[in-house]
Amino acid sequence: MLLLLAAAEILAGTPACQSLRLQETTAGSQTYELEEGVHLVFERDASLDTATDYGQRVLLYVAERGVFKRVYYSAGSKDSAAMTPTFIGHCGRHETLIFVDVGAEYSWGFRVFAYDERKLRDLGEIPIAVPGDPDAQSAIPFVKLIPNGETIDLTFTTDVIKDAGGKLPQSLPAHDVRYQIGAISVQAK
C-alpha cells in the first residue's frame, strides 16, 4: 500500500504529468508499445556489447512497411540484472518520460529517457535509491515532478541514498536532493 501511495506522489501538484500504464505486448517480454508501430524493448543484445559498454539496453523499434527495424539503442547498463520502466506522459515539454530502475540485488538508481516525435533520447542517470528492507530500493515511486517552463524539477518525497551502487553511498534528506530534466539532459541542482 505504501508503494501505491508513494507512486501517486509522482503526479502530486503536476496536472500536466500523467502516469501511463503501458502493458507488455507479451507477458514477460519487456516490450512495450509506445504508439502504433513503435515498440520499446528492454533486453541485452550481446552483439552490441563491447568491453566498456555492455549489459541490458533500451531499444526502440519502428515499423516500416510492416517490418520492425531497430532505430535506437542506449548505452548498456553494465551488470544490472533488470531494467524496470515507469512511464510518465505529457510532462513538461516531453511526450513521454521513461524512468528505468537499474540494479542487481538492490537499486543503484534510475536512468531517464525522453520519447518525443518517435525518437528516444537518453537524458542521463540519477544515482538515487531509497532505504529499503534490507537493501536500497527504487526511488521512482517517491519522485515528485514539477514542470517549470522548458524544464522539469524532480525532487523526492522521502530521504534518499545517493550512489547506492557506488563505493561511498551517502544518506541525504529529501529536501537536499533536486534534479532538473531538460530537453537533452538531467542535471543535479
Side-chain angles (χ1 to χ4, degrees):
M1 182 68 171
L2 178 60
L3 284 179
L4 290 175
L5 291 173
E9 288 295 326
I10 288 175
L11 306 177
T14 56
C17 299
Q18 303 168 0
S19 178
L20 301 175
R21 307 267 187 249
L22 300 183
Q23 298 295 317
E24 290 177 310
T25 58
T26 305
S29 70
Q30 285 282 280
T31 299
Y32 300 84
E33 186 173 55
L34 291 175
E35 61 181 281
E36 187 174 338
V38 180
H39 287 182
L40 191 63
V41 179
F42 299 87
E43 68 181 7
R44 184 169 193 166
D45 182 338
S47 71
L48 299 172
D49 289 353
T50 67
T52 58
D53 181 15
Y54 60 91
Q56 292 194 53
R57 301 172 188 275
V58 180
L59 305 111
L60 184 68
Y61 291 86
V62 175
E64 295 177 10
R65 297 185 189 127
V67 176
F68 279 93
K69 296 187 181 217
R70 184 174 60 211
V71 296
Y72 172 89
Y73 60 89
S74 71
S77 290
K78 308 265 191 251
D79 295 322
S80 177
M83 295 182 81
T84 307
T86 298
F87 301 93
I88 307 295
H90 307 289
C91 194
R93 65 178 293 131
H94 298 291
E95 289 175 39
T96 305
L97 286 174
I98 305 152
F99 297 159
V100 182
D101 191 55
V102 294
E105 294 83 25
Y106 57 92
S107 177
W108 303 339
F110 58 100
R111 293 172 65 180
V112 179
F113 293 85
Y115 175 75
D116 297 301
E117 299 177 6
R118 298 174 70 101
K119 293 180 182 158
L120 191 67
R121 285 185 314 283
D122 186 344
L123 302 182
E125 187 172 338
I126 297 179
I128 300 291
V130 296
D133 184 23
D135 298 314
Q137 63 183 20
S138 175
I140 295 169
F142 303 95
V143 164
K144 183 174 181 180
L145 299 170
I146 302 171
N148 187 9
E150 291 295 308
T151 62
I152 302 164
D153 292 332
L154 184 149
T155 58
F156 297 91
T157 61
T158 190
D159 294 344
V160 300
I161 303 169
K162 182 176 182 179
D163 209 19
K167 294 181 180 178
L168 297 171
Q170 181 181 15
S171 294
L172 296 170
H175 60 81
D176 286 348
V177 182
R178 183 173 156 240
Y179 287 82
Q180 191 171 66
I181 300 171
I184 60 171
S185 66
V186 172
Q187 297 181 8
K189 291 293 175 183

